[in-house]
Amino acid sequence: MSNPLVQAFFVGRAAAEVINERMEGAFTDALSELGKLDAELKEHMRSFTTEVMERAERSSEAAGAGGGVYSTPASSTGESSTEPLDLQAMIDELRAEIAVLRTELQRHRSGSV
């Protein structure tokens, strides 16, 4: 009677190991596919943005060639290229402020406890 129980134990253990390995492989594959999808979406968004900006620049230049009225939009597209730098600076400043607030909050909590 001990022999079938021991055998059942080892069969169950082996089944659990196989299931665990297959689930781990499936999870890893899913994360890999998700990473690929994310990279592809970012690349498509970048190429879309580049194409839109190129068309806008061409339209702006074509409109600017007909008269001097449309020279301002061309300069505004130049400003939009610096906007991500300003946005990144703003994000960095906000992160710094959050860090300062966290330390102040921790200091306040430790003082009142």
Side-chain angles (χ1 to χ4, degrees):
M1 185 166 165
S2 173
N3 190 16
L5 288 176
V6 171
Q7 185 178 4
F9 169 76
F10 284 112
V11 169
R13 181 177 169 186
E17 288 175 353
V18 169
I19 290 171
N20 188 23
E21 289 172 4
R22 289 191 180 179
M23 287 183 65
E24 182 179 322
F27 183 69
T28 303
D29 291 344
L31 287 179
S32 174
E33 289 299 320
L34 186 62
K36 288 178 187 177
L37 177 65
D38 183 46
E40 288 174 2
L41 287 174
K42 285 181 180 179
E43 178 60 27
H44 288 301
M45 188 59 151
R46 187 197 59 75
S47 67
F48 173 76
T49 304
T50 302
E51 184 177 349
V52 167
M53 293 306 292
E54 287 173 357
R55 287 187 184 190
E57 186 68 29
R58 282 184 292 199
S59 296
S60 174
E61 288 173 1
V69 178
Y70 293 104
S71 60
T72 305
S75 65
S76 69
T77 58
E79 291 174 5
S80 68
S81 66
T82 60
E83 185 178 335
L85 296 176
D86 295 337
L87 182 61
Q88 186 61 46
M90 183 184 300
I91 289 171
D92 292 341
E93 289 175 11
L94 289 173
R95 285 181 178 161
E97 288 180 23
I98 289 171
V100 169
L101 290 173
R102 281 184 180 168
T103 56
E104 289 294 323
L105 183 60
Q106 287 175 351
R107 188 179 310 153
H108 175 73
R109 284 181 181 166
S110 66
S112 63
V113 171

